[in-house]
Amino acid sequence: GESVGLHLPTLSVQEGDNSIINCAYSNSASDYFIWYKQESGKGPQFIIDIRSNMDKRQGQRVTVLLNKTVKHLSLQIAATQPGDSAVYFCAELLGANSKLTFGKGITLSVRP
Amino acid sequence: NAGVMQNPRHLVRRRGQEARLRCSPMKGHSHVYWYRQLPEEGLKFMVYLQKENIIDESGMPKERFSAEFPKEGPSILRIQQVVRGDSAAYFCASAPGLAGRGADTQYFGPGTRLTVL
């Protein structure tokens, strides 16, 4: 069945360093992937997305990489800041206007 | 442009009571999704609606739960005869539902935290 999972439950990084958050997905037919950030007591906030016909997409300080061969997704955050501390979820979508399947989430903790 | 609105933000109910959760999508969005999040877990899909239509309710429990998105007004997630296991955060997301890039990007509201005593 479909599943989206994250390799590590927590990630601690030094302020200013780069962060890499990894995600594995099992449904090779998924064609759209999104990274969300969730701060305590808030709803998931859209960070960046990528379609299956791409392998890299860059935003402001964030980059998403997609490796369809091994069904792997990663989120890179450059120059990590204290405000980046949150739980990060990857989510996959199969087909337009359908449900998102989320992983369990990884907590990013930024050390000052 | 206001984001997705949900109310109430916090809801406390006793076992056996009814819970009504409301969601107003972003302006111009016609697709609404409901998700449930248990502590320390990711979000689980419940139901997907368009105006006056339920498109996919595969994640919705068969009993006690219902959802609607009327022609006018917010989408409502209704839980009858709540039990302690219903305690969770319930999130609503909306999407434009149009063709083209970004059509299916879902934007989330702040959630309703339901506590069943």
Side-chain angles (χ1 to χ4, degrees), chain A residues 96-97, chain B residues 28 30-31 95-104:
Chain A
N97 300 320
Chain B
S30 60
H31 293 211
L98 302 172
R101 179 170 183 78
D104 42 14

Side-chain angles (χ1 to χ4, degrees), chain B residues 7-113:
Chain B
N7 68 82
R9 296 292 307 276
H10 299 274
L11 183 60
V12 179
R13 285 287 178 266
R14 296 191 181 278
R15 281 179 296 170
Q17 291 184 320
E18 178 180 289
R20 280 184 181 243
L21 288 62
R22 296 174 187 80
C23 169
S24 296
M26 287 178 69
K27 186 177 180 180
H29 287 194
S30 60
H31 293 211
V32 166
Y33 304 78
W34 285 94
Y35 295 83
R36 177 164 61 179
Q37 185 178 34
L38 296 172
E40 307 287 319
E41 294 192 7
L43 283 76
K44 304 290 185 187
F45 168 78
M46 298 182 74
V47 62
Y48 161 38
L49 310 103
Q50 297 177 20
K51 286 284 188 181
E52 300 185 281
N53 283 304
I54 297 175
I55 308 302
D56 180 359
E57 56 182 347
S58 59
M60 194 96 99
K62 293 287 188 284
E63 298 179 350
R64 302 189 298 108
F65 285 72
S66 63
E68 62 177 7
F69 188 16
K71 186 177 180 180
E72 300 291 337
S75 175
I76 306 287
L77 178 67
R78 181 185 179 201
I79 312 172
Q80 295 177 290
Q81 299 175 330
V82 296
V83 300
R84 287 201 175 131
D86 297 333
S87 295
Y90 292 83
F91 291 96
C92 167
S94 74
L98 302 172
R101 179 170 183 78
D104 42 14
T105 302
Q106 296 180 24
Y107 296 90
F108 284 81
T112 294
R113 278 144 188 89

Side-chain angles (χ1 to χ4, degrees), chain A residues 4 12 14 29 32 35-36 39 49 61 67 70 85 88 101:
Chain A
V4 177
S12 180
Q14 191 73 36
Y32 182 48
W35 280 102
Y36 287 94
E39 296 173 276
D49 61 355
R61 279 202 310 119
N67 185 331
V70 294
S85 294
Y88 289 79
T101 300

Side-chain angles (χ1 to χ4, degrees), chain A residues 75-109:
Chain A
L75 177 70
Q76 300 178 1
I77 304 174
T80 311
Q81 302 170 359
D84 295 326
S85 294
V87 178
Y88 289 79
F89 295 95
C90 64
E92 62 180 311
L93 191 144
L94 174 58
N97 300 320
S98 66
K99 61 185 179 184
L100 287 167
T101 300
F102 283 83
K104 286 193 173 183
I106 183 167
T107 300
L108 177 65
S109 176

